Amino acid sequence: MSSLADSDLLHVWETMRRQTLPRRAAALLAVVAPGMTSDQLAGMRLGERERRLLDLHARCFGPRLSCVADCPQCGETFEFELDARALSAGWPDPAEVAQPASIETHDYRVDMHLPTVADSIAASDGHDAAQAYTTLLQRCLVCTTPTGETVAPEALPPALLQEAAARMESADPAAELMISMPCPACDAVLNEPLDLCAFCWAEVEARAPRLLAEVHALASHYGWSEADILAMSRIRRDAYLGMVSS
Ligand SMILES: [Zn+2]
């Protein structure tokens, strides 16, 4: 995995700003893994995507994830930090993640495949969370009756759907990251999903205007091109910025 060059960061920020978070995350991962084909990226399981996003965050934006949460019990808003590198400790090796076993009941057979980057993108293109959930079910589950008829996954009994979801979650536990955090003001324990796509994008959105301001300052003063300024090392750019502002 390569680093995220400033010119690449600005390109992704500019081209993906109106896209969904899963599309933005895929664009970032494509930039830092230039040897990966678009098919390989599309077929990447979500646990592997999360692992790569954590790595990207740690290497390009630092290992600390700054979080804000609201306690549902007492209403307290509190901030805390997570270490990106510690989060992935205990995750299974991606090579060891296997597709969950099919479920067979008297009435149905449910075959599953673990959600991929392409599945996540397709789900995120829907209008709302309910449609996203249905899209994910339709893409990841194949349900049939003993006579071979196909059944829409959303028509399955809820208990069977829950069983399928539980099998997928335990097969690829890194795919949906949850954190448990005690509320500092009461005895509640918060269980919050951690959206690494959102964390990485927040860093991109914070860094892009700073980079543009640097280009503006140096281009205005020296007349250098944007490409030349962005290609400069951080040490050299900071030195020139210091001279411009002194
Ligand atoms: Zn609380």
Side-chain angles (χ1 to χ4, degrees), residues 70-78 182-190:
D70 294 315
C71 175
Q73 187 163 292
C74 72
E76 174 88 358
T77 298
F78 60 100
C183 170
C186 74
D187 59 356
V189 175
L190 277 74

Side-chain angles (χ1 to χ4, degrees), residues 27 33 36 63-64 73 89 126 132 169 198 210 225:
M36 187 166 49
R64 314 301 296 175
Q73 187 163 292
E169 200 180 309
R210 291 206 300 268
S225 73

